[in-house]
Amino acid sequence: MMVLYSGTNCPFSQRCRFVLFEKGMDFEIRDVDLFNKPEDISVMSPYGQVPILVERELILYESNIINEYIDERFPHPQLMPPDPLARARARLFLFNLEKELFVHVSAIENQKGNMAAPELAKARLEIRNKLTELAPIFTKYKYILGEEFSMLDVAIAPLLWRLEHYGIDLSRNAAPLLKYAERIFSRPAYIEALTPSEKVMRR
């Protein structure tokens, strides 16, 4: 059985929980206190971070790598495009999300209350501007890649869930993005994957 070491309010861990529930497979989640991590976390991951997936002798870290492994290991429903060209484009999009959006999410998460006000304001602005750029996609398509739910939607969902928690208020131009977010949040697997601490973020 797969075991996922997961932070209860970690956006990257949330991605992996989402995929596991979306697949409807058997797995175990072990909650990790990010402020008091057990020693074996650093043994399994050289960066001392979650999520970490363990299956027999296999140990994986980094959410996108974990999720692609799960998708290939259990291909139904398939979350990455079956066509190699489309899959390469999806991976490039994922890479761009990490570089242009989640680098700022990581900064906010890692600093917590220690982030200087100007740096926090800049991170919020960068996130807001990038999401506003993405919003027009959802005037035409149901999901990022079109009509089919994919790994790209999995990747961005934890950020959309945390917008209010991070103090990010999107402009009216981003209304299609917010409607898209609600479609993601209404998926049964997404609801199942939420931890109690994540649910509190949107109360």
Side-chain angles (χ1 to χ4, degrees):
M1 180 184 292
M2 288 183 173
V3 177
L4 180 72
Y5 292 81
S6 167
T8 56
N9 58 359
C10 164
F12 303 97
S13 296
Q14 188 182 5
R15 288 175 173 175
C16 298
R17 295 195 309 272
F18 191 6
V19 167
L20 288 167
F21 278 102
E22 193 74 33
K23 296 285 184 177
M25 49 185 282
D26 291 331
F27 58 89
E28 178 186 348
I29 293 175
R30 295 185 186 173
D31 293 332
V32 175
D33 181 350
L34 299 180
F35 299 99
N36 186 25
K37 288 180 280 193
E39 291 183 6
D40 58 347
I41 294 298
S42 294
V43 173
M44 291 184 287
S45 167
Y47 306 104
Q49 297 173 334
V50 291
I52 298 169
L53 185 78
V54 178
E55 186 182 28
R56 297 178 183 172
E57 297 83 16
L58 176 69
I59 299 175
L60 294 176
Y61 45 88
E62 206 288 312
S63 61
N64 290 329
I65 293 173
I66 291 171
N67 282 346
E68 280 211 52
Y69 171 74
I70 295 170
D71 195 45
E72 292 176 359
R73 180 93 162 73
F74 301 91
H76 303 290
Q78 191 169 22
L79 298 178
M80 285 293 280
D83 174 67
L85 179 60
R87 194 160 59 246
R89 287 175 174 160
R91 286 179 176 137
L92 187 59
F93 203 123
L94 283 170
F95 179 79
N96 290 337
L97 287 179
E98 298 306 308
K99 288 291 186 179
E100 298 174 19
L101 271 177
F102 276 87
V103 65
H104 305 295
V105 172
S106 293
I108 292 172
E109 287 287 333
N110 292 339
Q111 293 296 321
K112 295 298 183 183
N114 299 322
M115 198 171 194
E119 294 174 354
L120 179 59
K122 182 180 179 183
R124 287 171 173 162
L125 180 62
E126 293 288 346
I127 291 171
R128 184 169 65 245
N129 288 346
K130 186 59 183 177
L131 289 177
T132 302
E133 287 177 19
L134 291 175
I137 293 174
F138 306 106
T139 61
K140 186 176 181 181
Y141 299 114
K142 186 176 180 181
Y143 297 109
I144 292 178
L145 292 182
E147 292 303 304
E148 298 297 323
F149 176 78
S150 76
M151 201 68 80
L152 295 178
D153 306 300
V154 169
I156 201 170
L159 168 58
L160 300 179
W161 184 262
R162 288 163 171 75
L163 288 178
E164 185 175 346
H165 179 69
Y166 290 157
I168 298 170
D169 184 21
L170 296 181
S171 67
R172 292 182 181 178
N173 294 334
L177 179 95
L178 298 178
K179 290 181 180 179
Y180 155 74
E182 292 305 322
R183 281 197 292 274
I184 299 289
F185 302 157
S186 65
R187 295 182 74 87
Y190 194 84
I191 296 167
E192 285 184 279
L194 290 170
T195 65
S197 60
E198 285 169 342
K199 291 176 182 177
V200 168
M201 292 177 182
R202 286 175 60 87
R203 283 181 185 168

